[in-house]
Amino acid sequence: MLINTRPDPSPSAHDRTYRGLRTRIMHGEIEPGFALTLRGIGKEFGVSMTPAREAVRRLVAEGALSLSSSGRVATPDLSNERIEELAALRSLIEVELASRALPRAHMALIDRLQMINGTITTMVETHDSVGYIRTNLEFHRTLYLRAQAPAMLAMAETVWLQLGPTMRKLYGKMRRNEAPHFHRHIIAALKAGDEPGLRLAVRSDVTQGLRMLTT
Amino acid sequence: MLINTRPDPSPSAHDRTYRGLRTRIMHGEIEPGFALTLRGIGKEFGVSMTPAREAVRRLVAEGALSLSSSGRVATPDLSNERIEELAALRSLIEVELASRALPRAHMALIDRLQMINGTITTMVETHDSVGYIRTNLEFHRTLYLRAQAPAMLAMAETVWLQLGPTMRKLYGKMRRNEAPHFHRHIIAALKAGDEPGLRLAVRSDVTQGLRMLTT
DNA sequence: ATGGGTGCGATGTGATCACAAACCGGGTCA
DNA sequence: TGACCCGGTTTGTGATCACATCGCACCCAT
């Protein structure tokens, strides 16, 4: 009766457009500063301008897109200060999410995380930066889902969304030859039930990428 | 040239509608579960359905409004678990904001906070719950503006927005006869440059209201 | 009298259109 | 040669319309 957790049986045109754009942005498939047009988005998703505009407005509200003064829409090119803020937000929220997930982390979850981490290694080896970002986010989301904190998770995803295009630039320029080793620390802390260690590992993993950009 | 921090010289119809609704929601002028209609919103702000729909979509994206399965829009009626999450988010983000504002807090800021706190007392005495919520938020925003962290502040305001209608219910039912005394602790810690004290005071102030609801 | 079906009004959705502003050329003149 | 102007084109905005869906109340049959 009140269970509306169903993912929506008939996705509206607006929702398809929104989800499509959102995924592309979050996974870093669009470079910072790239300009989009409503008619172009509409044509791409087979809808008219109206749903395209709603999807764009929604993404602007979430900080995934930037609206210039004349209404032109583009992916944002973040300043270093803003990147630092967003990294700090990631750290704050995700450390809390990990901490809440810890007591509920069964062995099945840890196995799944290890499997995802293996996929990340594959992505690194094949130099698939989009796949790397997507799988890395899947690693974090899988862990945080156990926290049973949907509002916090939504907040964290909003931050990921804002960092999407920048992550593309970041991981594009860094010589990456191995999966993030802090993921192993996270898994180890989960196994040991070590909360301080988990918090430190998550914080380190989240803020490691930042150092590449602002220095 | 690139300075588009100007608050927008000609507010569009969509923006007026959005801001109007947002203010009313954040200040607790609408009770939880109240239903709105696009045509009603349009008539109220003198615009057509299109800008009204965009404003609603934006507010839904920010969690300020809830979209039922059939597309009907209403202010959300939050569960206790969600309220706890949002309170925890407020605590995480606002403690960080206060901490970042501390080194930049001059005497003029402290004076201004004390003045706002006086206004809060007035609001309490006149039983103006909307005015109370508005002035209380002004107190926090004035402090956090000094942190020079716009992304974090935006995140905090999003949380306020989601809690708006619930705050109305909360402050409506509590017998309140004095301004929140943790505000005095905040001001004292600012004066003393006491960061741990400030963090504790902010955390206490933010989570105090929660206890009224979930118990 | 009451339960269920039916039709009308209200509501959200998406497409289309008219319009204004912005952008991007080329062409012209100093 | 270079800067400036100007017109065509692109783009966002907001209004309006047609339509599907939902809710609700009224009415009829049992």
Side-chain angles (χ1 to χ4, degrees):
Chain A
M1 34 189 333
L2 283 187
I3 303 160
N4 52 356
T5 52
R6 215 175 357 164
D8 202 358
S10 77
S12 56
H14 146 262
D15 224 52
R16 273 188 298 117
T17 311
Y18 166 74
R19 255 190 266 276
L21 280 176
R22 180 187 146 106
T23 301
R24 298 218 324 212
I25 295 170
M26 196 188 293
H27 293 174
E29 298 176 30
I30 309 179
E31 61 188 354
F34 188 83
L36 293 86
T37 66
L38 295 185
R39 287 173 177 86
I41 295 169
K43 184 177 289 185
E44 178 179 344
F45 290 92
V47 298
S48 83
M49 294 175 54
T50 312
R53 213 159 24 140
E54 292 178 31
V56 164
R57 276 265 142 75
R58 194 165 160 188
L59 289 164
V60 168
E62 294 174 330
L65 290 175
S66 145
L67 214 57
S68 102
S69 57
S70 67
R72 303 307 231 272
V73 53
T75 51
D77 204 347
L78 275 48
S79 67
N80 279 354
E81 292 77 20
R82 197 156 199 108
I83 293 173
E84 188 275 331
E85 270 189 78
L86 292 172
L89 277 170
R90 275 199 68 177
S91 179
L92 283 173
I93 299 172
E94 296 191 29
V95 163
E96 176 71 17
L97 278 167
S99 182
R100 291 183 180 219
L102 178 58
R104 308 168 187 260
H106 310 326
M107 209 51 192
L109 175 70
I110 295 175
D111 287 344
R112 187 135 169 255
L113 289 177
Q114 267 168 334
M115 202 188 68
I116 296 174
N117 216 20
T119 307
I120 294 180
T121 305
T122 305
M123 296 297 174
V124 168
E125 288 167 352
T126 57
H127 300 83
D128 179 354
S129 64
V130 169
Y132 173 81
I133 294 174
R134 173 167 34 84
T135 318
N136 184 46
L137 292 184
E138 190 189 345
F139 180 91
H140 286 264
R141 181 168 19 228
T142 300
L143 172 58
Y144 304 150
L145 270 175
R146 272 300 196 289
Q148 301 278 36
M152 280 191 187
L153 182 55
M155 221 56 143
E157 296 210 15
T158 297
V159 181
W160 297 347
L161 199 56
Q162 298 185 42
L163 283 171
T166 301
M167 301 242 289
R168 173 193 187 81
K169 199 166 66 179
L170 171 62
Y171 290 110
K173 75 167 54 168
M174 72 191 289
R175 78 289 161 264
R176 177 166 279 291
N177 42 18
E178 55 177 25
H181 61 280
F182 286 117
H183 281 196
R184 300 192 173 280
H185 293 201
I186 291 173
I187 290 172
L190 282 173
K191 273 184 184 164
D194 172 18
E195 198 203 337
L198 179 63
R199 297 176 81 94
L200 177 62
V202 171
R203 175 162 45 241
S204 305
D205 182 60
V206 162
T207 54
Q208 66 157 358
L210 165 72
R211 260 174 276 284
M212 308 273 130
L213 262 190
T214 58
T215 58
Chain B
M1 40 189 324
L2 283 187
I3 304 162
N4 51 358
T5 52
R6 213 175 358 164
D8 202 358
S10 76
S12 56
H14 145 262
D15 224 51
R16 274 187 298 117
T17 309
Y18 166 74
R19 254 189 265 277
L21 280 177
R22 179 188 148 104
T23 302
R24 298 216 325 208
I25 294 170
M26 196 188 294
H27 292 175
E29 298 177 30
I30 309 180
E31 60 187 356
F34 188 82
L36 291 85
T37 67
L38 295 184
R39 287 171 175 88
I41 294 169
K43 184 177 288 185
E44 178 178 346
F45 290 91
V47 297
S48 83
M49 293 174 55
T50 312
R53 219 171 5 154
E54 292 179 32
V56 164
R57 276 264 142 76
R58 196 165 159 186
L59 290 164
V60 168
E62 294 173 331
L65 290 176
S66 149
L67 214 58
S68 105
S69 57
S70 67
R72 304 303 232 276
V73 53
T75 50
D77 203 348
L78 303 173
S79 66
N80 278 354
E81 292 77 20
R82 194 150 200 114
I83 293 173
E84 189 276 332
E85 270 190 77
L86 292 171
L89 278 170
R90 277 200 66 177
S91 179
L92 283 173
I93 299 172
E94 297 190 29
V95 163
E96 176 72 15
L97 278 167
S99 182
R100 291 183 179 219
L102 178 58
R104 308 168 187 260
H106 309 327
M107 207 50 191
L109 175 69
I110 296 175
D111 286 344
R112 187 136 168 256
L113 289 177
Q114 268 167 335
M115 204 187 68
I116 295 174
N117 217 18
T119 307
I120 293 180
T121 305
T122 305
M123 296 297 174
V124 168
E125 287 166 353
T126 57
H127 300 84
D128 181 354
S129 63
V130 170
Y132 173 82
I133 294 173
R134 172 168 35 84
T135 318
N136 184 48
L137 292 183
E138 191 189 345
F139 180 91
H140 286 264
R141 176 162 31 222
T142 300
L143 172 58
Y144 305 149
L145 269 175
R146 271 302 197 289
Q148 301 279 37
M152 280 192 189
L153 182 54
M155 221 55 142
E157 296 210 15
T158 297
V159 182
W160 297 347
L161 199 54
Q162 298 185 40
L163 283 171
T166 301
M167 300 242 287
R168 174 196 187 78
K169 199 164 66 178
L170 171 63
Y171 290 110
K173 75 167 54 169
M174 74 191 288
R175 77 287 161 264
R176 178 167 277 292
N177 41 17
E178 56 176 25
H181 60 280
F182 285 117
H183 281 197
R184 300 192 172 279
H185 294 199
I186 291 173
I187 291 172
L190 282 173
K191 273 185 183 163
D194 171 19
E195 199 203 337
L198 179 62
R199 297 177 83 95
L200 176 62
V202 171
R203 175 160 47 241
S204 305
D205 183 58
V206 161
T207 53
Q208 67 157 358
L210 165 71
R211 260 173 276 284
M212 307 273 131
L213 261 191
T214 58
T215 57

